Amino acid sequence: MQNPTFKEIVSTKNAKITNADGKTRYLKNKNKLLNSFDGCNGVKTGFTDDAGRCLVSSAERDGMDVVCVVLNCGLMFEECSRFMQEAFASYKLYDLTKFYNLPSEIAVTNGRQESVKIGTFGEYLYPLTDSEKESVQIKYELVKSLEAPIEKGQEVGKVEIYVGKDLHFSEKIFTIESVRRNSLWQKLFDVLTEW
């Protein structure tokens, strides 16, 4: 479903195609959920004697994708609809990096300014139930201060996201600006550079 061409094909309800010899054919998707389930965008019905009636279904709501697979299922459309509805009712998609309580800056010694701004560059989207959301824990490892000069993009720590006891995501914390050293020679260099 991450392939745009595939996604377009499996979400198409009806299509009209013309063969090389000029004959026109009309195709209809047998996936009834495309018309009856809010957000349904695919995927494929199937049947063999051994496997029975099978369906891979997919739907997207509020940025969250749900995929359901049923095998040898007589009521395949009804069952997929029920399972996907339960998933959307039970889970919401969160950017867990929004749960950070990261300081916006850390102290700088011997710098032209007393602190440097810090941040992260990641985004981590994950579906959670209400109880799982309550179990999210954020752990930080962060230096207390830095000595100038400091380069933009300098690593200063890391942050980890746990859901319950399970580590789900980890990323580095960086400086998001540079800080020059506060010295007589640096001031003289700055004046000469500007001149």
Side-chain angles (χ1 to χ4, degrees), residues 72-125:
N72 193 20
C73 182
L75 300 173
M76 62 185 188
F77 296 114
E78 294 82 356
E79 287 295 284
C80 273
S81 178
R82 181 173 65 85
F83 286 133
M84 291 194 300
Q85 192 61 43
E86 285 178 14
F88 284 119
S90 300
Y91 290 87
K92 289 183 182 163
L93 191 65
Y94 294 95
D95 177 2
L96 296 188
T97 62
K98 303 288 186 206
F99 289 44
Y100 290 173
N101 190 18
L102 188 66
S104 60
E105 54 190 26
I106 55 177
V108 172
T109 57
N110 297 322
R112 304 284 293 277
Q113 56 198 59
E114 295 179 355
S115 62
V116 60
K117 292 179 181 168
I118 61 170
T120 58
F121 301 110
E123 177 183 66
Y124 181 61
L125 301 175

Side-chain angles (χ1 to χ4, degrees), residues 145-159:
S145 66
L146 292 171
E147 184 167 350
I150 299 165
E151 296 295 323
K152 180 179 179 180
Q154 190 171 321
E155 186 180 334
V156 294
K158 73 174 181 176
V159 58

